[in-house]
Amino acid sequence: MSEANPPLETTPAASSLTLQQLSRLQPTKAPRTLWGDAWRRFRRHRMAVAGAVIFCLLVIMVAVGPLIYGGDPRKIDFGKSMLPPSLEHPMGTDDLGRDMLARVMLGGRVSLSVGVAAMLISITVGTLIGAIAGFFGGRMDSILMRITDLFLALPVVPLLLLLIFLFRDTLRRALGPETGIFVLIVFVIGILNWMTVARLVRSSFLSLKEKEFVEAARALGVTEPKIMFKHILPNALGPIIVAATIGVGAAIITESVLSFLGLGFPPDVPTWGRLLYDGQNFLDFAAWMVLFPGFLIFLAVLCINYVGDGLRDALDPRSRL
Amino acid sequence: MGPKQVVHMGRYIIRRILFAIPTLLGISLVIFAVLALAPGDPLAQFAADPSVPPEVREQIRVSLGLNDPWYIRYFKWLGALMRGDWGFSFAARVPVIELIGQRLPQTLQVIGLAYIISICLAIPIGIISAVKPYSAFDNIATTFAFIGFSVPTFFTGLLLILIFSVNLRWLPFIYNSTLEVTDWNSFWQQVKQMIMPVTVLALYQTGTLTRFVRASMMENLPMDYTRTARAKGLNERNVILWHVLRNSMIPVATLIALGVPTIFTGAIVTEQIFRINGIGELLIRSIQNSDTPVVMAITFIFAVLVVSFNLIVDVLYGVLDPRIRYE
């Protein structure tokens, strides 16, 4: 024991020396980190940055807008039916004389939250299934992957329409008209879109679980759930974040398609898709009823897709310089 | 491909087909269970009709087998399907297969044409974009592709109607399905009414495909074999069109096959906008009428499409890519 001590005594001195040397060598800039690098690469993708900024503005508009803007989205006034855009009504009014800007902002809240909530469900389910399949392998893997294949072969849109048509009245009675349909749509979109995420996560887990740091964690006696979610998952996060971003856009489109087909939200909940559905019959004399909500869906999804593209470039380890 | 390879591939295809059958059974069971376990009565419209006495209603239920438990009904449905009997529409009172037969040609016409157009556009655009990346052409093409797959099809459809039907009055905005092409005049009318639905679908598909062709070409351009082809003195045109393109087309061909079921779903929206009486419109109407046999049949057709095109993709990969072996 005492023989082992002398070299240990010298260690602090030696390390302080190297630290001194290091501090002299260190550049004045902060050290580069993984996320810092990703951020630098993301900033270089101009369209992605523009997309992120515009999307944030959209979120602020629908979140804060209704508090500042005085228009009432539900006040019916037949005297003001279908007025074109003006200073008083920046987006015009609809067939019942309701202010379109107020309705569009209210609708944006629903559309964007459906997108985010449905994405959270599909990412959670996909990550869980992919992680379990990739980590445990063997029979568990083949069963879960068969289920994934089955879900991938399901005709998604017909099934979405069917599920919503069949269950909407029940859920509306159980949870109230707005919450019921919100829960149903979010759940159905989420539960039919987790498959690609599951495959992504599974393949990352398959390669990551063989790495030395996992072996080290095992040797230290870390429990399996902890290895899965504290050690492996953070390393598989890149593709999941990209899939999540694209997923929000896809869910927004899906919700608006459902509403547009008359199988989404009821008339009293003006989502962007629902506003388009209501407006399409007035296309020839009140085009603004269609143009504004339609353009906002397009803008939101376009921004999200550009951000997703930028994130893919930023988080792809192959492009790390 | 030698004879041994053909045998291996034959075995592989048979194995894939055998695997597709349980998948389809699983899907049909899921759809059937959803329909059967859902609250609501398929004969609700009869129930609401006061002129139908309850005894008659009961008789109808018994004759349709609606009083059996759902799994018995599932096996009955499956057995009938095997014999080619797709059931009887509650609403139209004709066999489902006849109804679908009437609707399918309109759908196939529009989506088929749209798909061919988008393939013909996407491949050259994708190639030029990849050969000259970040050039003005590529930037414009990329912007259009992003717009193409970000704009919802129903919005493009309504925009086109607004511009070309409402303002310019060039094109009819309701699709006339009873129109029969007999002479040049009616042919021109048919062309005019197909322009907008085809454009809507083609725009979306071209966007996705262009990005994919470009990515696939970009992946193959820095490969060793490309450098070899250049080194042996081939001109750039031959290098791109013969060597790089052929290899890049393998994943593109599979994406084209995988996209077929997607474009069928796209038809649901387009048919709704332009009032085309195709299969998508039939699906929406049948769902709203609770016409269970029709809904079941169409949903199942979509499932068969997905599964069979997955199968085609697997086989296509083997045919196109000699690196894949089936041992």
Side-chain angles (χ1 to χ4, degrees), chain A residues 107-185:
Chain A
R109 281 185 175 182
V110 185
S111 288
L112 295 179
S113 25
V114 166
V116 174
M119 175 276 288
L120 286 177
I121 291 183
S122 59
I123 292 290
T124 313
V125 175
T127 307
L128 267 178
I129 289 186
I132 292 171
F135 188 76
F136 292 107
R139 171 160 297 178
M140 184 65 113
D141 181 29
S142 58
I143 292 174
L144 286 177
M145 281 303 110
R146 285 295 84 81
I147 295 174
T148 312
D149 285 343
L150 181 71
F151 265 83
L152 271 173
L154 284 176
V156 174
V157 176
L159 211 56
L160 269 173
L161 296 172
L162 201 58
L163 283 171
I164 288 169
F165 180 75
L166 292 173
F167 290 96
R168 67 176 169 187
D169 290 332
T170 322
L171 267 160
R172 246 192 253 172
R173 269 198 301 275
L175 298 169
E178 270 183 47
T179 336
I181 198 88
F182 184 86
V183 168
L184 177 65
I185 287 181

Side-chain angles (χ1 to χ4, degrees), chain A residues 146 150 153 155 157 161-163 165-166 170 253 256-257 260-261 276 283 287 291 294-295 297-298 301-302 305-306, chain B residues 19 23 27 34 38-39 146 149-152 154-155 158-159 161-162 166 265 272 284 287-288 295 299 302 306:
Chain A
R146 285 295 84 81
L150 181 71
V157 176
L161 296 172
L162 201 58
L163 283 171
F165 180 75
L166 292 173
T170 322
I253 292 227
S256 59
V257 165
F260 183 75
L261 294 173
L276 265 180
L283 195 60
L291 290 178
F295 179 72
I297 300 176
F298 163 59
V301 177
L302 186 69
N305 283 339
Y306 270 120
Chain B
F19 181 72
T23 311
I27 294 171
V34 164
F146 264 97
F149 60 74
S150 298
V151 59
F154 51 85
F155 185 49
L158 291 177
L159 268 185
I161 291 180
L162 186 64
V166 176
T265 16
Q272 205 67 19
I284 304 287
I287 288 178
Q288 278 164 348
V295 174
T299 323
F302 274 96
V306 178

Side-chain angles (χ1 to χ4, degrees), chain A residues 135 204-205 208-209 211-237:
Chain A
F135 188 76
S204 305
F205 266 67
L208 285 170
K209 73 172 178 188
K211 291 270 153 54
E212 288 84 355
F213 70 88
V214 176
E215 209 175 313
R218 263 186 213 285
L220 286 170
V222 181
T223 57
E224 283 192 326
K226 252 195 170 160
I227 293 183
M228 282 169 75
F229 294 108
K230 282 197 103 163
H231 294 258
I232 302 185
L233 189 62
N235 290 288
L237 224 48

Side-chain angles (χ1 to χ4, degrees), chain B residues 119-142:
Chain B
I119 293 169
C120 293
L121 283 175
I123 292 178
I125 295 176
I127 294 173
I128 300 173
S129 283
V131 172
K132 293 198 171 98
Y134 310 109
S135 62
F137 180 89
D138 181 33
N139 284 337
I140 294 171
T142 303

Side-chain angles (χ1 to χ4, degrees), chain B residues 209-244:
Chain B
L209 271 177
T210 310
R211 289 298 287 172
F212 204 77
V213 174
R214 182 183 182 272
S216 182
M217 289 286 288
M218 297 277 269
E219 214 160 272
N220 278 297
L221 275 169
M223 287 285 192
D224 285 342
Y225 72 82
T226 315
R227 196 176 340 130
T228 312
R230 284 198 186 115
K232 70 181 187 184
L234 278 185
N235 62 4
E236 191 62 24
R237 191 191 173 86
N238 279 337
V239 173
I240 302 290
L241 293 184
W242 274 103
H243 294 259
V244 181

Side-chain angles (χ1 to χ4, degrees), chain A residues 79-103:
Chain A
K80 288 181 172 178
S81 174
M82 287 192 271
L83 292 178
S86 61
L87 271 180
E88 195 192 351
H89 301 285
M91 290 191 181
T93 57
D94 70 356
D95 52 320
L96 302 179
R98 292 172 292 194
D99 182 69
M100 277 303 284
L101 178 59
R103 287 180 73 71

Side-chain angles (χ1 to χ4, degrees), chain B:
Chain B
M1 194 185 285
K4 208 173 164 195
Q5 263 275 282
V6 174
V7 172
H8 277 308
M9 185 146 135
R11 267 196 219 136
Y12 173 76
I13 294 174
I14 291 169
R15 213 171 50 227
R16 294 292 315 186
I17 292 175
L18 287 181
F19 181 72
I21 293 170
T23 311
L24 279 178
L25 284 178
I27 294 171
S28 67
L29 190 65
V30 169
I31 305 168
F32 203 91
V34 164
L35 276 170
L37 299 179
D41 187 347
L43 291 184
Q45 19 172 19
F46 283 109
D49 188 351
S51 67
V52 180
E55 312 88 73
V56 176
R57 209 177 300 144
E58 196 51 35
Q59 267 177 0
I60 296 173
R61 292 189 70 88
V62 172
S63 71
L64 291 170
L66 285 173
N67 286 344
D68 297 332
W70 71 273
Y71 48 90
I72 303 259
R73 275 187 283 147
Y74 174 69
F75 284 112
K76 276 188 181 168
W77 175 82
L78 199 64
L81 191 74
M82 298 291 177
R83 293 192 301 271
D85 175 10
W86 288 70
F88 211 73
S89 159
F90 291 161
R93 296 186 175 73
V94 291
V96 173
I97 198 139
E98 211 172 282
L99 205 59
I100 291 174
Q102 288 166 5
R103 299 299 193 99
L104 206 54
Q106 280 88 303
T107 304
L108 288 179
Q109 227 174 18
V110 173
I111 65 173
L113 193 61
Y115 213 37
I116 291 169
I117 290 177
S118 52
I119 293 169
C120 293
L121 283 175
I123 292 178
I125 295 176
I127 294 173
I128 300 173
S129 283
V131 172
K132 293 198 171 98
Y134 310 109
S135 62
F137 180 89
D138 181 33
N139 284 337
I140 294 171
T142 303
T143 312
F144 265 99
F146 264 97
I147 293 175
F149 60 74
S150 298
V151 59
T153 42
F154 51 85
F155 185 49
T156 346
L158 291 177
L159 268 185
L160 288 182
I161 291 180
L162 186 64
I163 298 170
F164 293 105
S165 303
V166 176
N167 284 332
L168 296 174
R169 299 189 181 280
W170 287 352
L171 301 169
F173 68 91
I174 289 184
Y175 192 93
N176 177 9
S177 312
T178 55
L179 182 74
E180 274 180 45
V181 178
T182 48
D183 50 4
W184 279 111
N185 192 24
S186 56
F187 176 73
W188 179 236
Q189 268 184 302
Q190 177 68 15
V191 169
K192 266 167 66 173
Q193 66 179 358
M194 277 176 77
I195 290 177
M196 289 197 293
V198 168
T199 311
V200 167
L201 281 173
L203 184 74
Y204 178 77
Q205 291 292 334
T206 314
T208 331
L209 271 177
T210 310
R211 289 298 287 172
F212 204 77
V213 174
R214 182 183 182 272
S216 182
M217 289 286 288
M218 297 277 269
E219 214 160 272
N220 278 297
L221 275 169
M223 287 285 192
D224 285 342
Y225 72 82
T226 315
R227 196 176 340 130
T228 312
R230 284 198 186 115
K232 70 181 187 184
L234 278 185
N235 62 4
E236 191 62 24
R237 191 191 173 86
N238 279 337
V239 173
I240 302 290
L241 293 184
W242 274 103
H243 294 259
V244 181
L245 182 62
R246 267 176 53 166
N247 283 293
S248 311
M249 280 301 108
I250 298 169
V252 174
T254 62
L255 187 81
I256 290 173
L258 278 180
V260 174
T262 328
I263 194 161
F264 263 91
T265 16
I268 297 178
V269 177
T270 343
E271 287 175 3
Q272 205 67 19
I273 308 170
F274 296 102
R275 319 266 148 93
I276 305 172
N277 69 337
I279 199 158
E281 199 262 355
L282 180 65
L283 174 70
I284 304 287
R285 181 177 305 185
S286 305
I287 288 178
Q288 278 164 348
N289 288 343
S290 301
D291 196 346
T292 324
V294 184
V295 174
M296 189 68 208
I298 296 180
T299 323
F300 192 62
I301 289 176
F302 274 96
V304 172
L305 275 174
V306 178
V307 172
S308 38
F309 275 95
N310 274 322
L311 193 71
I312 290 172
V313 165
D314 284 341
V315 176
L316 209 60
Y317 239 104
V319 176
L320 294 177
D321 195 340
R323 284 169 296 192
I324 291 178
R325 297 272 175 271
Y326 297 101
E327 271 83 341

